[in-house]
Amino acid sequence: MTETKAVKSEQTRALIVVTALRLFRERGYEATTMRAIAKEAGVSVGNAYYYFGSKEELIQAYYDELQDEHAAACRAVLAAEKDFAPRLLGVLKARVDTMVPYHEFAGKFFKFAAEPTSPLNPFSAESGPARDSAVAIYREVVDGSDLKIDKEFRKELPELLWLYSMGVVLYWVHDSSPGCRKTYLLVERTVPLVNRMVSMSRIPGFKSVTRELVDIIRDVRA
């Protein structure tokens, strides 16, 4: 009985998220109320608030779901590849693959996520769990590869790769090419450059630059 109740609860929660995303796309984020979401989902307003305290929490659930989809889509390439560049390329392509179905929504929603003080901002404290999960994937890209780089730089590289991926996401939001073709091209053309720059960190003349970069990252983060 308890297991059946848990399954039904998860189904209701998922239904509310799917309904909310549909209404956000159709009516816009601002114009969509929790009452409207509850009505469309066929649940009471109180029940909707039981699962999600606000529209912001619904978006955080969307972030988490998208992150789970990305993690699953990365499994094959991370299991098959050891070279850093193919691992990074596969993970970034999988990222775009999972985002493409939400492209129209992302374009309308971007102004809210880009607001520095918004909890929906990917750099906000509220977005921390999804951000940590994303960085963890890039840590897996690095740790499971055959990269031979400075250990301190290696510690910081996953977060740098996540920031690079956020640049790709920003480009994707504004990409109007069919099937987001230009975003895939951007990934394919920039991954070799990132690979070369990371590899160059082993060269004696560049080690001091790499260490200075690590210091800057840690000072800014503090």
Side-chain angles (χ1 to χ4, degrees):
M1 183 69 71
T2 302
E3 184 176 348
T4 301
K5 187 176 180 180
V7 170
K8 186 176 180 181
S9 177
E10 186 55 37
Q11 289 174 340
T12 301
R13 186 180 188 278
L15 174 61
I16 294 171
V17 173
V18 169
T19 303
L21 291 177
R22 176 172 61 81
L23 292 180
F24 291 157
R25 288 194 298 268
E26 293 174 357
R27 305 180 184 182
Y29 179 74
E30 281 184 306
T32 301
T33 64
M34 288 293 286
R35 182 174 296 277
I37 293 168
K39 181 179 179 180
E40 288 287 320
V43 302
S44 68
V45 176
N47 204 13
Y49 275 111
Y50 171 78
Y51 289 98
F52 301 98
S54 64
K55 290 194 298 183
E56 287 79 10
E57 287 187 16
L58 277 162
I59 294 297
Q60 294 300 337
Y62 157 69
Y63 286 167
D64 293 339
E65 183 177 310
L66 193 61
Q67 189 55 44
D68 288 343
E69 289 179 18
H70 182 215
C74 292
R75 289 304 101 207
V77 69
L78 292 177
E81 295 286 354
K82 284 297 181 185
D83 289 346
F84 172 71
R87 287 171 72 84
L88 179 59
L89 179 63
V91 165
L92 286 171
K93 280 188 172 182
R95 176 66 168 163
V96 181
D97 288 343
T98 56
M99 293 190 305
V100 165
Y102 303 99
H103 189 252
E104 184 179 353
F105 166 66
K108 296 177 180 178
F109 174 73
F110 177 71
K111 65 179 180 179
F112 301 102
E115 171 59 46
T117 59
S118 171
L120 304 178
N121 189 300
F123 297 92
S124 70
E126 291 83 355
S127 298
R131 182 171 60 250
D132 291 344
S133 295
V135 173
I137 290 178
Y138 293 102
R139 184 169 295 110
E140 189 173 351
V141 169
V142 174
D143 290 346
S145 75
D146 54 8
L147 271 180
K148 301 292 189 297
I149 56 176
D150 179 85
K151 65 178 182 179
E152 295 303 315
F153 181 47
R154 193 182 189 96
K155 289 179 184 177
E156 303 299 337
L157 184 55
E159 188 166 348
L160 289 173
L161 294 176
W162 174 73
L163 289 171
Y164 161 46
S165 77
M166 293 305 296
V168 172
V169 171
L170 178 60
Y171 183 85
W172 166 79
V173 168
H174 297 278
D175 184 4
S176 60
S177 63
C180 299
R181 179 184 58 82
K182 289 185 178 180
T183 302
Y184 286 104
L185 179 62
L186 176 69
V187 169
E188 290 167 359
R189 296 291 296 273
T190 56
V191 164
L193 293 176
V194 172
N195 182 47
R196 285 204 290 272
M197 287 188 288
V198 170
S199 298
M200 287 173 64
S201 70
R202 301 195 302 264
I203 301 173
F206 285 90
K207 283 186 177 179
S208 61
V209 176
T210 302
R211 288 170 184 165
E212 185 175 349
L213 175 61
V214 169
D215 288 341
I216 291 171
I217 294 169
R218 290 176 177 175
D219 287 345
V220 170
R221 185 191 295 140

